[in-house]
Amino acid sequence: MLTKLLVAKLNQFEPLAADDVAALEAVAGDVKLFDHGEDMIRQGDDPKNVHLVLDGWACRYKVLPSGERHIIAYLIPGDLCDVNVTLLDAMDHSIGALSACRVLYLPRENLIDLIGRNVRLFRALWWCTMVDEAILREWLVNIGGRRADQRVAHLICEMLLRCRAVGLTSDHSFEIPLTQQELGDTMGVSAIHMNRSLQALRADGLIATEGRRYEVPNFRKLMEFAEFDPLYLHQVRKAGKDLLDGF
Amino acid sequence: MLTKLLVAKLNQFEPLAADDVAALEAVAGDVKLFDHGEDMIRQGDDPKNVHLVLDGWACRYKVLPSGERHIIAYLIPGDLCDVNVTLLDAMDHSIGALSACRVLYLPRENLIDLIGRNVRLFRALWWCTMVDEAILREWLVNIGGRRADQRVAHLICEMLLRCRAVGLTSDHSFEIPLTQQELGDTMGVSAIHMNRSLQALRADGLIATEGRRYEVPNFRKLMEFAEFDPLYLHQVRKAGKDLLDGF
DNA sequence: CGGCTCATTGACCAACGTCAATGCCGGTGG
DNA sequence: CCACCGGCATTGACGTTGGTCAATGAGCCG
C-alpha cells in the first residue's frame, strides 16, 4: 500500500472509493532510493514521471547564476512532486533529496490518462496542486514581508502541521532533517544569519532543539510570533475537532 | 469575442477547435467593471466564479497583521484569476484591481463541468495554472535571492514579455499602471527603497520612465542585470523565431 | 589521530527601513 | 484665473537587519 499517505491526504478533500485507490495504485511504477544531495530531476529535463515521496524529505530548488541555491518547496512523505509541472515542456527547476529518500515513480502518461477517466481522482489531485500553490503564495509573503526570525518560526509552524498530518510528529516535537545552510537557502538568508535567528527563537523559549529535532513547547506562542495563520494549508478539520487540538 | 486573448494564450499550448472556443464562450457570464483599489474577491470568501481580466491590471494580495500589503501576482488582460483556487474551501488571499479593470465572470460550476467534458480545454486550462505556478516560483526566488534593484529589473523583464504577448507593448516601451508603493508591496521593499532602486536603474540607462510608461532601451542588458531567464514563463517560440526577436 | 561537516562567535560593512521634509502635478472650489 | 488640497515622487539623515570574512569548537568517521 505504497500510496497510503497520499490516499489519506486526498481523502481529506474527496472521499475515494476502493476502485479509485486501486486505479491509482495501478499507475504506480518503480520505487527508487535517493541519497541526501542527489537530484531526482533537473532543470531543463522533460518531466516524464510524477514522483511520490514515501520516506524522507525532498525539495524543489533553483540555482542562481551566482551559484546560490534557492529552495522553493519542501516535499515530505505523501507529497506528489510534479503533478503541477507535468504539462510543461521543460522543468524550470530541479528536485533534489534533502535526506535519504524513498520515492515512487508514476509515469506521466498513465497518470494523465487516469485523471481523464476518473473524475474523483482528477478533482482530488487537482485540489492537491491548489494546496501546493497556496503554500507557495504564503512562502512568498513570508519571505517578502517578515524578519528572518519570524520567517523561520513561520516555517516551523507550517512543517509541524504538515508533518503532524502524516504522523511524523511525536508529542510537541518533530524532525527537520536540514542543515542551517539549507534552512537559509529556503528563507533567503545566509547560513550565519539563520543560525542567529534560531538562537533568538531558542532564547525566547519558542523552540528547543536537540540535533535536528525541534521541540515547540507552546505552539500558540510560536504562531503568534510568526503571524502564522493555518488557513492557507487548507487542512481539513475533523467534525467537532479544532485543527489545533493538542496544542 | 470576449475571450480572444485567453484563447490566443491557450492556443499556444493546445490548439483549440472552433467547438472548443464556442464551448468556452458559452460559459461566460457577466462583464463587470472595477475601479482602482476595488476588490474582486476577498480572503475568506468562497470562490464561486472564475474571473477573466479583459482590460487593466489586477493582483492577488494578502494583508499581514501589521497592515502591510503583499502582492503575490499580477493579472493582466487574458489572465484567468482563480482557476487555481476553485476547488478550495475559502480564498486564502484577495484579488483587487490595480487600475480600472474590465472583468468577465465565469461561473465556477459551469467551468468545472466544461473541463470534465472537454479534454482539450481541460489540458489547456491546466497548463495555464502550471504557468501561473511557475511564475510564482520564480517570484519567490527573485524576492528571496536578489537585491531590490535586480528584483525590479527582473519584474520589468517579466511584465514586458507578458504584456508583449498580449499586444500591450509598443516598440520598446509599455505601461505599468502602478505606484511605487504598489511596486514596493510586490517586491517586499518599502516605497522609498523602490524609488531609489528605480533611480538606480535609470541612472544606469537600463530603463527610462515617463509617468508610468517604462521604456527598455536594451532588453538584453536589462535581462543580464536582472539575471532574467525567460524559460519559466513557458512562452512558446513560434517556429523559426526566437522569443527575444525584436530586442 | 586527522579530516570532514556543521554549528557558533565576533567584527565590520552593505542593504534596506523609518521619519520627516520638499516638490510636483492634476483636480476642485471659489 | 487662482488658491488650495491630496496623492505621489523624491531627498537626506539615521537606525536596523542581514551579509561577509575569518576563526573556533563540536561531533562523526575512517
Side-chain angles (χ1 to χ4, degrees), chain A residues 96-196:
Chain A
L98 286 170
S99 70
C101 251
R102 215 158 50 92
V103 171
L104 178 67
Y105 278 60
L106 306 165
R108 165 169 69 173
E109 294 310 329
N110 299 1
L111 192 67
I112 292 184
D113 190 51
L114 172 63
I115 288 174
R117 284 184 285 109
N118 184 316
V119 181
R120 268 190 305 277
L121 279 173
F122 156 57
R123 283 174 53 96
L125 288 173
W126 196 15
W127 172 79
C128 254
T129 69
M130 287 183 189
V131 173
D132 285 352
E133 196 174 325
I135 292 174
L136 205 46
R137 283 192 293 267
E138 186 64 27
W139 279 34
L140 185 61
V141 171
N142 194 31
I143 291 198
R146 289 187 262 259
R147 285 194 325 265
D149 49 359
Q150 291 178 295
R151 296 217 273 269
V152 211
H154 196 281
L155 181 68
I156 293 172
C157 287
E158 175 183 316
M159 295 320 294
L160 176 55
L161 287 185
R162 285 174 59 188
C163 285
R164 193 174 70 143
V166 287
L168 287 174
T169 57
S170 77
D171 216 0
H172 286 187
S173 80
F174 71 120
E175 201 79 26
I176 302 183
L178 307 180
T179 66
Q180 294 181 358
Q181 176 69 56
E182 288 162 337
L183 285 169
D185 288 350
T186 310
M187 303 314 267
V189 299
S190 65
I192 293 176
H193 201 65
M194 178 52 60
N195 181 284
R196 290 194 262 249

Side-chain angles (χ1 to χ4, degrees), chain B residues 179-180 195-196 199 202 212:
Chain B
T179 64
Q180 294 182 359
N195 181 284
R196 291 193 257 249
Q199 284 181 51
R202 285 192 290 246
R212 291 176 187 173

Side-chain angles (χ1 to χ4, degrees), chain A residues 62 84 89 92 138 234, chain B residues 62 84 89 92 133 138 234:
Chain A
K62 294 198 185 197
N84 26 10
D89 41 351
D92 53 44
E138 186 64 27
H234 297 276
Chain B
K62 294 198 186 197
N84 25 10
D89 41 351
D92 54 44
E133 197 174 324
E138 186 64 28
H234 297 276

Side-chain angles (χ1 to χ4, degrees), chain A residues 13 43-44 60 62 64-66 68 70-73 82-93 109 112 115-116 119 122-124 126-127 129-141 143-146 186-189 227 229 231-232 234-237, chain B residues 13 43-44 60 62 64-66 68 70-73 82-93 109 112 115-116 119 122-124 126-127 129-141 143-146 186-189 227 229 231-232 234-237:
Chain A
F13 167 70
Q43 179 171 349
R60 302 175 194 287
K62 294 198 185 197
L64 296 183
S66 63
E68 88 183 67
H70 253 273
I71 295 178
I72 299 164
D82 320 86
V83 200
N84 26 10
V85 178
T86 32
L87 291 182
L88 298 178
D89 41 351
M91 292 291 291
D92 53 44
H93 62 280
E109 294 310 329
I112 292 184
I115 288 174
V119 181
F122 156 57
R123 283 174 53 96
W126 196 15
W127 172 79
T129 69
M130 287 183 189
V131 173
D132 285 352
E133 196 174 325
I135 292 174
L136 205 46
R137 283 192 293 267
E138 186 64 27
W139 279 34
L140 185 61
V141 171
I143 291 198
R146 289 187 262 259
T186 310
M187 303 314 267
V189 299
E227 300 180 344
D229 175 351
L231 173 70
Y232 75 95
H234 297 276
Q235 288 187 347
V236 179
R237 291 148 292 280
Chain B
F13 167 70
Q43 178 171 349
R60 301 176 196 286
K62 294 198 186 197
L64 297 184
S66 64
E68 88 183 66
H70 252 272
I71 294 177
I72 298 165
D82 321 86
V83 199
N84 25 10
V85 177
T86 31
L87 292 184
L88 298 179
D89 41 351
M91 293 289 292
D92 54 44
H93 62 280
E109 293 310 328
I112 291 184
I115 288 174
V119 180
F122 155 56
R123 284 174 53 95
W126 197 16
W127 173 80
T129 69
M130 287 183 189
V131 173
D132 285 352
E133 197 174 324
I135 291 175
L136 205 46
R137 283 192 292 268
E138 186 64 28
W139 279 35
L140 186 60
V141 172
I143 291 197
R146 287 187 263 259
T186 310
M187 303 313 269
V189 297
E227 299 180 346
D229 175 350
L231 174 70
Y232 75 95
H234 297 276
Q235 288 187 348
V236 179
R237 291 147 295 279

